[in-house]
């Protein structure tokens, strides 16, 4: 009899354990759902169900005219997709370092294969090129067209009259810029021992250029296309027979950290789509708008308003 009661008690206890286990399982599953909801910002949806991945993006750019106009456009479009974007202006070396160390997801102004060759070789394992904004962007020393006797970099060698008029100085931009490194290489390759490259900023260089042109005085600057100074002033790039500046020109591209595609897949796909269509003509349109008085942000917003079909092409159906 006692044994019978023991068996009955054991059966009741077993049933209770099964019921409790079932209840516990329900709680665990509910907790899992909550965890999934908490992680929505990192792996979840953006506008329209787009898989954003990491939604906080840091991008870097340099204070060159093209980068100054294309960066706000990219930033505004990424924010429309659903990202929070912080854009930071730095010098060329810092731009590459921040992407290589994953402090920034991508940059908007790599110049390859020549101008930023040194940085690309240094950070090749941690970066990848994911698109090209402008296919051909030539660089060279640049002078006003009224300097009729100066047409090649070779014309500067032992040119006492021009050298003394310019105090043997070529006016450049910020010291970390690739065009500055290329110009230093040109001084060496062409044996321009008396000449020195003076760093400043792009704004400082343009101010000096404008001042000299107003008085029709000689000046040599570090130039590159596309740039609004070629539409504003009558300039010519000096011939570079040794192709120190890369011949026909670098390509201007977007370079990202190698984890960017996995971390923020929609942003990665957007940059690829954007660079497939973006070209020198679009960049010139933005540069002209800024040259006419708009801010870079105003030029970007106007471009978006004027090109709804392109914006839809770049942003709709990401991740499908």
């Amino acid at each position: 009899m006692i044994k019978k009661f023991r068996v009955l008690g054991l059966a009741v206890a077993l049933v209770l354990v099964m019921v409790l286990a079932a209840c516990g399982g329900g709680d665990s599953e509910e907790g899992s759902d909550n965890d999934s909801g908490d992680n929505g910002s990192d792996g979840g949806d953006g506008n329209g169900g787009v898989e954003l991945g990491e939604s906080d993006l840091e991008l870097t750019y340099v204070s060159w005219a093209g980068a100054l106009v294309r960066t706000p456009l990219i930033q505004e479009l990424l924010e429309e997709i659903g990202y929070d974007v912080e854009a930071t202006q730095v010098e060329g070396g810092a731009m590459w370092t921040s992407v290589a160390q994953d402090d920034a997801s991508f940059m908007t102004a790599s110049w390859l294969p020549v101008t930023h060759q040194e940085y690309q070789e240094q950070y090749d394992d941690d970066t990848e090129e994911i698109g090209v904004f402008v296919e051909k962007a030539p660089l060279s020393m640049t002078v006003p067209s009224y300097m009729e006797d100066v047409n090649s970099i070779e014309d500067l060698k032992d040119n006492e009259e021009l050298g003394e008029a310019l105090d043997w100085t070529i006016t450049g931009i910020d010291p970390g810029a690739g065009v500055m490194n290329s110009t230093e290489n040109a001084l060496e390759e062409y044996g321009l021992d008396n000449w020195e490259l003076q760093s400043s900023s792009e704004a400082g260089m343009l101010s000096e250029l404008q001042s000299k042109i107003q008085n029709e005085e000689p000046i040599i600057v570090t130039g590159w296309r596309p740039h609004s100074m070629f539409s504003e002033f009558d300039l010519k790039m000096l011939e570079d027979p040794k192709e120190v500046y890369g011949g026909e020109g670098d390509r201007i591209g977007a370079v990202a950290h190698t984890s960017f595609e996995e971390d923020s897949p929609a942003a990665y796909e957007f940059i690829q789509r954007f660079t497939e269509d973006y070209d020198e003509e679009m960049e010139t349109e933005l540069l002209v708008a800024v040259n006419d008085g708009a801010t870079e942000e105003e030029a970007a917003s106007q471009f978006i308003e004027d090109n709804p079909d392109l914006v839809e092409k770049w942003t709709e159906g990401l991740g499908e």
Side-chain angles (χ1 to χ4, degrees):
M1 185 67 177
I2 294 175
K3 185 176 178 181
K4 183 177 180 180
F5 277 123
R6 284 178 179 172
V7 172
L8 180 60
L10 183 61
V12 171
L14 181 60
V15 170
L16 287 173
V17 168
M18 292 175 65
V19 171
L20 289 173
C23 293
D27 289 343
S28 176
E29 187 175 349
E30 184 178 346
S32 176
D33 288 344
N34 287 337
D35 289 344
S36 178
D38 290 340
N39 289 335
S41 61
D42 281 339
D45 297 343
N47 292 339
V50 176
E51 290 292 333
L52 299 179
E54 293 181 1
S55 58
D56 292 332
L57 295 181
E58 176 81 29
L59 63 90
T60 60
Y61 64 104
V62 290
S63 62
W64 297 3
L68 289 173
V69 295
R70 89 178 68 94
T71 302
L73 178 59
I74 292 170
Q75 180 176 4
E76 185 168 339
L77 289 167
L78 283 170
E79 288 173 344
E80 286 193 9
I81 295 168
Y83 287 98
D84 292 322
V85 184
E86 182 75 21
T88 304
Q89 181 182 310
V90 296
E91 293 184 352
M95 180 176 68
W96 277 87
T97 301
S98 61
V99 173
Q101 295 179 347
D102 205 17
D103 294 327
S105 299
F106 69 96
M107 66 180 78
T108 61
S110 69
W111 285 64
L112 297 171
V114 177
T115 306
H116 286 163
Q117 179 184 14
E118 177 183 351
Y119 299 130
Q120 185 190 37
E121 290 176 351
Q122 182 177 355
Y123 298 121
D124 186 51
D125 292 339
D126 300 309
T127 60
E128 63 168 319
E129 189 173 12
I130 59 174
V132 175
F133 299 116
V134 177
E135 292 286 348
K136 296 291 183 184
L139 310 92
S140 187
M141 296 182 200
T142 300
V143 302
S145 295
Y146 56 71
M147 294 173 63
E148 296 178 355
D149 296 333
V150 183
N151 296 296
S152 168
I153 297 174
E154 292 178 322
D155 294 333
L156 305 183
K157 186 175 176 60
D158 300 325
N159 191 330
E160 294 287 339
E161 182 179 356
L162 180 62
E164 291 177 2
L166 295 178
D167 197 22
W168 299 99
T169 299
I170 297 166
T171 303
I173 57 174
D174 50 286
V179 70
M180 296 291 281
N181 296 333
S182 295
T183 303
E184 293 284 4
N185 292 336
L187 296 182
E188 183 176 346
E189 289 293 326
Y190 287 93
L192 305 180
D193 300 331
N194 295 330
W195 290 91
E196 291 185 358
L197 176 61
Q198 183 179 64
S199 63
S200 58
S201 63
E202 183 179 342
M205 181 190 76
L206 293 174
S207 177
E208 185 72 7
L209 178 64
Q210 183 177 28
S211 175
K212 295 295 184 182
I213 288 178
Q214 286 176 342
N215 298 311
E216 203 163 318
E217 296 174 349
I219 184 172
I220 305 170
V221 300
T222 52
W224 65 92
R225 292 177 182 269
H227 195 291
S228 58
M229 63 179 166
F230 286 93
S231 59
E232 187 175 358
F233 307 117
D234 186 7
L235 303 173
K236 58 182 176 183
M237 283 187 166
L238 299 186
E239 296 171 10
D240 175 22
K242 296 187 178 183
E243 298 190 352
V244 176
Y245 287 92
E248 295 183 357
D250 280 338
R251 59 183 183 275
I252 306 173
V255 167
H257 188 268
T258 49
S259 67
F260 182 43
E261 182 177 12
E262 181 178 353
D263 291 343
S264 303
Y268 183 93
E269 185 178 352
F270 161 74
I271 293 296
Q272 288 190 315
R273 293 187 189 181
F274 182 90
T275 51
E276 285 176 359
D277 292 316
Y278 192 85
D279 57 17
E280 182 174 349
E281 184 177 347
M282 292 185 191
E283 185 145 303
T284 299
E285 180 180 340
L286 293 167
L287 289 167
V288 169
V290 171
N291 202 40
D292 288 343
T295 66
E296 287 83 0
E297 290 75 17
E298 289 170 344
S301 296
Q302 189 63 52
F303 184 94
I304 290 172
E305 182 178 337
D306 293 343
N307 296 277
D309 293 342
L310 270 178
V311 172
E312 181 178 356
K313 182 181 178 183
W314 293 336
T315 60
E316 292 296 315
L318 290 170
E320 292 181 355

